[in-house]
Amino acid sequence: MPVKTYWLEHAWLGTHVEPGVALEVGADGRIGALRTGVETPPPGAEVLRGLTVPGLANAHSHAFHRALRSLVQVGSGTFWTWREFMYQVAQNLTPETYFALARAVYAEMALAGITNVGEFHYVHHARGGAPYADPNAMGEALIEAAAAAGIRITLLDTAYLSSGFGEAPNPHQLRFSDGTADAWAERVSALKPRGHALIGAAIHSVRAVPADQLATVARWAQERQAPLHVHLSEQTAENEACQAAHGRTPTQLLADHGVLGPRTTGVHNTHLTDGDIALLGGTTTGTCMCPTTERDLADGIGPAGRLQHAGSPLSLGSDSHAVIDLLEEARAMELDERLRSRTRGHWTANALLTAATADGHAALGLADAGRLEAGALADFTTIALDSVRTAGPLPRLGAETAVFAATASDVRHTVVGGRHIVRDGAHTLVPDVPSALAESIAALRG
C-alpha cells in the first residue's frame, strides 16, 4: 500500500483536541508522520470531518450473545435465568453459522468505531462435546470473521471445564469443555497468530476451572507473553460458593495460583473486598468494565474508581452486546459511579477515552495501538460533531462531546491499518450489516 495522507479536521491526541492534523500512513499500515497546524487539507489527502480518535478497543465480547438481544428482555429473572437462554443459542452454533454471525457482529462493531475486539471464546466443540475434525474450527471461524469485517481480534481462547467448583459440566456445557487444562493447552497451542489476530487465553471463572488447574492456564499465557482474561466476582453467588469450597475469595484463589499480574485482566470485578482490590491493584492486574451488560443483567456496579486508584488499569467491553457502543460504555462507567456516590466528575473525558482506546488495546496485547502518534498502528475512527446529539459545543470540547453526548450512530469513518473499513457511515466490506445480522440470527433459531 503506498503512503496515504488523511487530513483530520479535529483530532484527539490523548490530552487535548487539536484542529487541522495531517496524518500519513505508511505501507506497513502504521502512522508514519503526524503534523499539527495544517489548516487546509493537503493535495490528495482524504478528508475526515469531525473528531478523529484512536480506534476503540472492545476488550470483552461474546459474539454469539448478540443473538440474545431483545429476546432476554421478555419477562424478568436473574443472570442465572438469562444463562439458560444463552445455552439455547450456543447449542445451535456451527463453524459456518458462527462465522456468519460473528462477521455481522464485528461489522456492527466497525460501524461503532471499534477496531479491535477481545473475543472471550468458549464454544469449542460440536454438540455433545465431540471435537470437530479441526479441533479449533470454531476459533478459526471467529478469526476469519474478524478479517471479513476488517477489524483486529485477540482470540481469548477460554478454558471452561466444570459446571461449578469441581462438578462435571452439565449437558449444555459439554461443547465448552476440553476435559482438562492440559487438553485445553494442547488444543489452543495449535492456533497461530496472523496479521490481524493475536491468540490469548482466558479462564472462564473460578467456578469453571478447578483450582488445581488454574496454574496450567496461567503458565500457558506466561510462556507466550499472551494476555490472560478471567470473569471475576461478577455474581455474589459465585463468591459465596468459592468461600464455601476454598475458604477464600475468587481473587485470592487466583492470586494463590499465579493468575494475577500485568498481562491479566479481570472482567467485571463487581463484588470485591478491600483485600481483593488491594491484590488486583498491587499486581497491576487490569479491570475490564462492561457497564451496559452489568446493568442489563442486574449484576451491580463494580468499584472501578477504587480499582484504578489501587493500580488496576481500566478497559471497557460490550460483553453480551445488549448494545454495541463503546462511547456508551465509557459514559456509563462515569454515570454509574455518580449514581452510587452522588458526586460528579470521577473521570475526565480524556481518562474515559484512554480506557476505551490505549488501555483497552494494551489489555488485548496491542501496546502499539490506541494512540495517534508516529509508529502506532494506523487504526482510528471519526465521530461527527454536527449530528443532533453533538452539534453546538466548541470543537475543543470534542472529547467531552464524544463521551457524554455521542453514540455509535455518530461514527462516520473507521480506518484499520490505514484501510478505510467504514466510510461515511457505511461498511465497505459488508454492504448490508442489518440484513447480515438478521439472517445470521434467524439461522440460529433452529
Side-chain angles (χ1 to χ4, degrees):
M1 183 177 71
V3 173
K4 185 172 185 178
T5 300
Y6 287 91
W7 182 77
L8 318 180
E9 184 181 28
H10 302 282
W12 178 70
L13 300 183
T15 58
H16 67 287
V17 173
E18 187 77 28
V21 174
L23 185 152
E24 293 181 0
V25 178
D28 58 357
R30 294 180 178 272
I31 299 172
L34 187 145
R35 293 181 289 122
T36 60
V38 182
E39 295 183 1
T40 58
E46 184 131 15
V47 175
L48 303 183
R49 297 210 176 268
L51 176 71
T52 297
V53 304
L56 306 177
N58 189 350
H60 190 66
S61 163
H62 304 290
F64 78 91
H65 289 191
R66 175 63 179 81
L68 297 169
R69 189 181 293 180
S70 298
L71 172 68
V72 292
Q73 302 304 339
V74 178
S76 61
T78 66
F79 167 87
W80 307 102
T81 53
W82 169 90
R83 191 174 69 160
E84 294 304 312
F85 284 105
M86 180 271 288
Y87 285 153
Q88 292 172 28
V89 172
Q91 284 297 92
N92 291 330
L93 292 171
T94 67
E96 294 75 24
T97 60
Y98 208 178
F99 168 82
L101 176 60
R103 172 179 172 266
V105 173
Y106 297 155
E108 181 181 358
M109 291 185 192
L111 290 171
I114 293 163
T115 58
N116 188 20
V117 60
E119 184 60 42
F120 200 103
H121 164 56
Y122 55 84
V123 186
H124 302 305
H125 307 300
R127 280 193 181 200
Y132 289 102
D134 174 0
N136 286 305
M138 295 293 264
E140 291 289 350
L142 291 166
I143 291 171
E144 292 308 312
I151 70 170
R152 302 184 194 276
I153 185 171
T154 298
L155 187 74
L156 299 161
D157 195 288
T158 303
Y160 193 136
L161 310 172
S162 168
S163 64
F165 299 98
E167 296 295 322
N170 68 38
H172 295 299
Q173 296 165 341
L174 293 173
R175 299 197 68 177
F176 310 160
S177 178
D178 291 293
T180 67
D182 286 334
W184 167 86
E186 181 178 359
R187 177 183 55 75
V188 74
S189 293
L191 284 165
K192 302 302 177 188
R194 55 216 74 172
H196 75 293
L198 298 178
I199 308 300
I203 292 165
H204 180 273
S205 55
V206 293
R207 71 177 185 272
V209 177
D212 61 359
Q213 298 185 61
L214 292 169
T216 300
V217 184
R219 185 166 55 250
W220 186 96
Q222 170 68 29
E223 288 171 351
R224 291 159 180 79
Q225 302 288 285
L228 172 61
H229 289 213
V230 53
H231 289 135
L232 180 57
S233 288
E234 181 179 5
Q235 296 289 324
T236 54
E238 178 181 290
N239 288 356
E240 293 161 2
C242 187
Q243 284 282 2
H246 299 292
R248 64 204 71 188
T249 67
T251 301
Q252 183 64 62
L253 185 67
L254 294 175
D256 291 347
H257 292 275
V259 175
L260 304 185
R263 280 185 306 280
T264 300
T265 296
V267 181
H268 303 303
N269 293 1
T270 307
H271 303 286
L272 302 177
T273 67
D274 291 346
D276 292 339
I277 292 171
L279 266 175
L280 293 167
T283 55
T284 61
T285 299
T287 294
C288 180
M289 301 298 293
C290 305
T292 65
T293 290
E294 289 149 7
R295 70 193 185 196
D296 183 63
L297 296 179
D299 287 344
I301 301 171
R306 294 179 61 201
L307 282 160
Q308 188 173 50
H309 183 74
S312 177
L314 298 179
S315 56
L316 297 165
S318 64
D319 191 2
S320 68
H321 312 313
V323 297
I324 293 177
D325 189 338
L326 262 286
L327 300 174
E328 171 63 19
E329 303 294 345
R331 175 164 55 246
M333 188 164 70
E334 166 66 23
L335 298 185
D336 285 355
E337 193 68 20
R338 292 182 187 185
L339 285 174
R340 176 171 45 196
S341 66
R342 291 183 289 176
T343 60
R344 303 174 77 238
H346 301 274
W347 291 275
T348 65
N350 288 332
L352 293 168
L353 277 178
T354 298
T357 57
D359 289 349
H361 290 292
L364 298 179
L366 279 179
D368 54 352
R371 297 176 180 84
L372 297 181
E373 61 184 35
L377 291 170
D379 299 355
F380 43 90
T381 189
T382 303
I383 300 161
L385 295 179
D386 59 357
S387 76
V388 294
R389 288 166 292 277
T390 61
L394 295 170
R396 63 180 175 83
L397 297 175
E400 287 77 10
T401 301
V403 171
F404 292 105
T407 72
S409 297
D410 296 309
V411 170
R412 293 293 176 265
H413 304 279
T414 301
V415 174
V416 181
R419 180 188 183 196
H420 227 128
I421 301 301
V422 173
R423 177 179 277 110
D424 296 320
H427 203 288
T428 62
L429 302 177
V430 184
D432 187 346
V433 178
S435 291
L437 286 163
E439 291 166 8
S440 60
I441 292 169
L444 296 177
R445 294 196 180 109

